[in-house]
Amino acid sequence: MKINRTLFLLLAVLPMFGWADGAVLSELLTRIRQTGQAQFQYEETRVLELADAPWHGQGVMLSGTDGSLVKLQLQPARVIMAITEQRMLYWDPQQNQRHSAALDSAGPAGEQIKVFRSILQGRTEELQLNYAIAADKQGPQWTLRLTPKPELSGDDLPSIEISGDDQDQQRRISIKQPDGESTEYRMHKATAAQQQDYSLPSLLQEASGE
């Protein structure tokens, strides 16, 4: 009888924990979902398998409600990588290299920026196709962990961790590839003054060469 009572109490408590975890996940997915245009200053660190030291870059990211995304790298050299109307654009003025391709045929670079767009714009329906998502919140600090679904383990999908706090002014995104290479972004929301320096339409126009 005692065992049955203990089992009953355990079964009664388990759904409460499940509900709490689901509530935190729902809150955090809502938090990262974009509701308007956004602009971030970013610092990027890449750890590459064949490099002696990490690679560092910095720049600006601009994101539109229509799904457009521009990553404007300013250091170490000015480069634009963008998504617009399901195409990926690349423009390196220093090397005079310009590329345009359908997003689905843009190879690994296209897949990476698609994932990044899903993260930055909170396109959770796209993320949940390929990832199991776990949420954790300790006080003002929160973390979302995205793990490739087991049946997709052969697709070379990265593991992703997104973290931030309740102030929502900064965000850390860590992307780890199956081969051990990793990229970390530290994002800070641009101030009103900083947002005057760059325009999403003008950067898309520059990247496309129009």
Side-chain angles (χ1 to χ4, degrees):
M1 184 71 177
K2 185 177 180 181
I3 294 176
N4 289 339
R5 181 175 299 174
T6 302
L7 179 61
F8 174 79
L9 290 172
L10 181 61
L11 292 173
V13 169
L14 281 175
M16 293 176 62
F17 284 112
W19 179 86
D21 290 344
V24 170
L25 178 59
S26 178
E27 174 195 343
L28 296 185
L29 291 179
T30 299
R31 181 183 294 276
I32 68 170
R33 187 171 297 123
Q34 183 176 333
T35 57
Q37 291 197 41
Q39 185 170 322
F40 299 86
Q41 309 289 114
Y42 77 84
E43 296 179 6
E44 177 181 358
T45 302
R46 293 185 206 160
V47 177
L48 305 174
E49 186 177 10
L50 300 179
D52 295 331
W55 180 92
H56 296 281
Q58 63 183 40
V60 180
M61 290 198 190
L62 301 93
S63 178
T65 55
D66 63 350
S68 297
L69 175 69
V70 169
K71 177 185 177 184
L72 170 62
Q73 177 185 291
L74 296 172
Q75 298 291 337
R78 193 178 192 277
V79 176
I80 299 176
M81 183 180 289
I83 292 177
T84 181
E85 297 179 353
Q86 296 305 309
R87 296 193 68 80
M88 191 184 84
L89 307 175
Y90 177 88
W91 169 230
D92 182 341
Q94 187 173 8
Q95 301 296 324
N96 194 30
Q97 294 181 354
R98 190 188 307 277
H99 304 290
S100 174
L103 191 55
D104 290 336
S105 63
E111 289 303 315
Q112 184 179 41
I113 199 169
K114 278 170 63 178
V115 169
F116 203 87
R117 178 181 65 172
S118 297
I119 295 169
L120 199 61
Q121 298 182 347
R123 294 172 170 243
T124 56
E125 68 284 354
E126 295 177 3
L127 295 171
Q128 289 171 322
L129 287 174
N130 297 324
Y131 289 95
I133 306 178
D136 180 59
K137 196 170 191 294
Q138 302 292 333
Q141 305 296 319
W142 56 264
T143 304
L144 282 171
R145 295 182 179 87
L146 287 72
T147 306
K149 292 181 177 179
E151 63 270 24
L152 300 173
S153 59
D155 290 356
D156 293 330
L157 293 171
S159 298
I160 301 166
E161 184 174 288
I162 312 165
S163 58
D165 59 30
D166 286 344
Q167 298 299 314
D168 226 16
Q169 294 300 306
Q170 56 186 7
R171 198 168 290 173
R172 173 184 166 272
I173 300 172
S174 176
I175 303 173
K176 294 184 178 180
Q177 304 292 341
D179 62 6
E181 295 188 349
S182 65
T183 305
E184 180 179 280
Y185 291 91
R186 292 193 175 272
M187 320 273 295
H188 302 269
K189 279 192 174 178
T191 65
Q194 290 171 331
Q195 291 183 35
Q196 303 302 313
D197 294 335
Y198 302 101
S199 158
L200 188 64
S202 63
L203 288 170
L204 287 173
Q205 187 175 24
E206 180 185 350
S208 65
E210 296 179 358

